[in-house]
Amino acid sequence: MGKALKSAGYFIDEVYSRTHKSAEKLAKELDSKPVVQLDHIAPNADLYLISVPDNAIGNILSEINVPGRLTVHTSGSLSMNVLQKASKNYGVLYPLQTFSKDKSLDFSNIPMCIEANSAANEKILMRIAGDISQNVKLLNSAQRKTAHVAAVFACNYANFLFGIAEEILREHNLPFELLNPLISETARKVMENQPHTVQTGPAVREDIETMEEHLEMLNDFPEYQKLYSLLAEALIKNHKKKGKE
Amino acid sequence: MGKALKSAGYFIDEVYSRTHKSAEKLAKELDSKPVVQLDHIAPNADLYLISVPDNAIGNILSEINVPGRLTVHTSGSLSMNVLQKASKNYGVLYPLQTFSKDKSLDFSNIPMCIEANSAANEKILMRIAGDISQNVKLLNSAQRKTAHVAAVFACNYANFLFGIAEEILREHNLPFELLNPLISETARKVMENQPHTVQTGPAVREDIETMEEHLEMLNDFPEYQKLYSLLAEALIKNHKKKGKE
């Protein structure tokens, strides 16, 4: 997000990190100054952007001292109110996307989920988010947490299923690339349709024979066997429910 | 596949279906003739392509009478040898893709998985598959079944997870479109990386606090709660295993 802000014309004064190395690396990319002690950061910035793992924010907030300055976190699952500790002006800028360390993403389509503790702060965050993305949404903490759980299923767990597929193929010396067109099409389909209306496969057909054969083939992967069964079961149940709606 | 074959210049003489309506519909699209009784089909075609649900093929094979003619099924999970019943020349043309009834797909990138009972038949099927796709693979029955199980995880179950995400969002009046950029990026990432190397989310970080909060938020969805736990558990275990490799 630092890079996206910089590209949009924002000046990033300082970059804090616990280690010199990572503070320097990011500061260099952002034409900024590295800081490794929180009590050394400049006290008069317009915005303090805290983007750390959820379980690290507690320490940051107890060390940072910027009373009154707009302080923002970028987490999907943390309540906005955790920031009360740091400042009386606070909010959230949550980019609903999956990030890789070594790959910069185009932010223009990423949903920026905004929340702020006052209308004035909301306006500021809306403007900042709008400068880096065309897809800005106002979400309160409960909605943001809901979006985050949904994202765990649609991204983290979907990726885990891709990994299971890869492992099964590798075990039989088949390349994972074989599934590329299938994965693309699966993702494309749900952009245009409700997922349950385009559901295919043996479970939705209740093709017991094929599912039993699949379970047998998964004998070497007891964990995936269990997942296969539970997913099939939930899918069948869900499909019956949808059919009745 | 009928449309792809027709586009590639193949002549489709007859289309069989159990019902007049669907036989006529497809026959019309393919400039072909509808047939509703299997014992009425022309006995001298170069290829008989059987594309029906796996559990329907038994009936077809016991009624069809085309001895010696090349007879092919399109299933990912049926062994090639089930076709012995129908002819002494047989094989498989399995397109590794997910299909929707009302949407024609470009076949040129779809992996066409080929198997045949002789080198001569393999050559014929390779040529036919090569006329509709640039992505033709020779897979024996065991490999094809493996690809099919992998596809169930990467497509059918991934789509089910997208559906769970949609349901969770809808319950809180949030639009599923919110996840579009995330789903696109999740799919894009695994085209270029091994899935486990780009795994993100609370499970891989072993962020117990967030996972517990998510489970609580899923109280209204006990089935999805169970899935969330099992997926988290398997993911953590898997990640530790990969870390040691």
Side-chain angles (χ1 to χ4, degrees), chain B residues 60-90:
Chain B
I60 304 275
L61 293 175
S62 59
E63 286 179 48
I64 203 172
N65 188 16
V66 290
R69 296 280 154 180
L70 183 52
T71 303
V72 158
H73 75 58
T74 62
S75 161
S77 47
L78 287 177
S79 290
M80 175 175 69
N81 293 337
V82 300
L83 297 163
Q84 280 176 327
K85 250 170 124 174
S87 176
K88 65 175 198 285
N89 289 301
Y90 51 89

Side-chain angles (χ1 to χ4, degrees), chain A residues 110-182:
Chain A
I110 296 177
M112 296 295 298
C113 306
I114 299 298
E115 187 181 9
N117 78 316
S118 73
N121 290 331
E122 187 179 294
K123 212 171 142 191
I124 297 170
L125 294 185
M126 289 291 277
R127 202 186 59 223
I128 296 173
D131 281 339
I132 59 176
S133 168
Q134 281 142 32
N135 193 352
V136 180
K137 308 272 181 199
L138 269 178
L139 260 63
N140 63 33
S141 287
Q143 287 176 313
R144 179 162 36 82
K145 286 177 189 195
T146 299
H148 190 238
V149 184
V152 168
F153 280 103
C155 165
N156 306 147
Y157 289 161
N159 184 72
F160 180 49
L161 297 188
F162 298 150
I164 291 175
E166 193 253 1
E167 207 173 324
I168 294 169
L169 290 172
R170 189 156 30 91
E171 190 82 3
H172 292 82
N173 296 313
L174 288 167
F176 182 54
E177 290 76 50
L178 198 59
L179 298 182
N180 278 359
L182 182 69

Side-chain angles (χ1 to χ4, degrees), chain A residues 6-238:
Chain A
K6 183 171 178 284
S7 298
Y10 286 87
F11 170 61
I12 293 153
D13 189 25
E14 295 179 340
V15 172
Y16 163 81
S17 178
R18 275 170 305 175
T19 66
H20 253 294
K21 204 178 151 193
S22 48
E24 262 174 12
K25 184 168 177 270
L26 187 54
K28 207 173 158 188
E29 290 174 35
L30 301 175
D31 290 330
S32 181
K33 292 192 299 271
V35 184
V36 288
Q37 278 181 272
L38 269 176
D39 51 0
H40 287 185
I41 59 168
N44 55 352
D46 295 317
L47 179 74
Y48 292 83
L49 188 70
I50 307 174
S51 197
V52 297
D54 290 353
N55 56 13
I57 204 165
N59 284 337
I60 304 274
L61 292 175
S62 59
E63 285 180 49
I64 202 171
N65 188 16
V66 289
R69 295 281 153 179
L70 183 52
T71 303
V72 158
H73 75 58
T74 62
S75 161
S77 46
L78 287 176
S79 291
M80 174 174 70
N81 293 337
V82 299
L83 298 163
Q84 280 176 326
K85 249 169 124 173
S87 176
K88 66 175 198 286
N89 290 300
Y90 52 90
V92 178
L93 277 176
Y94 169 51
L96 186 41
Q97 186 53 287
T98 172
F99 296 95
S100 323
K101 257 198 181 140
D102 297 313
K103 164 109 188 158
S104 294
L105 285 183
D106 173 14
F107 265 68
S108 61
N109 281 317
I110 296 177
M112 296 295 298
C113 306
I114 299 298
E115 187 181 9
N117 78 316
S118 73
N121 290 331
E122 187 179 294
K123 212 171 142 191
I124 297 170
L125 294 185
M126 289 291 277
R127 202 186 59 223
I128 296 173
D131 281 339
I132 59 176
S133 168
Q134 281 142 32
N135 193 352
V136 180
K137 308 272 181 199
L138 269 178
L139 260 63
N140 63 33
S141 287
Q143 287 176 313
R144 179 162 36 82
K145 286 177 189 195
T146 299
H148 190 238
V149 184
V152 168
F153 280 103
C155 165
N156 306 147
Y157 289 161
N159 184 72
F160 180 49
L161 297 188
F162 298 150
I164 291 175
E166 193 253 1
E167 207 173 324
I168 294 169
L169 290 172
R170 189 156 30 91
E171 190 82 3
H172 292 82
N173 296 313
L174 288 167
F176 182 54
E177 290 76 50
L178 198 59
L179 298 182
N180 278 359
L182 182 69
I183 290 172
S184 289
E185 174 64 8
T186 303
R188 192 203 59 75
K189 262 179 161 179
V190 294
M191 308 283 148
E192 294 174 11
N193 303 276
Q194 283 199 295
H196 77 271
T197 64
V198 293
Q199 184 66 55
T200 56
V204 76
R205 290 195 308 268
E206 294 192 55
D207 179 347
I208 308 292
E209 217 170 310
T210 299
M211 289 191 278
E212 275 173 1
E213 200 185 347
H214 285 175
L215 287 172
E216 212 185 295
M217 289 171 65
L218 292 170
N219 267 337
D220 290 347
F221 303 98
E223 205 99 52
Y224 303 158
Q225 217 170 26
K226 219 162 85 186
L227 264 176
Y228 186 105
S229 295
L230 192 59
L231 283 160
E233 219 176 278
L235 200 162
I236 292 170
K237 212 162 157 179
N238 190 273

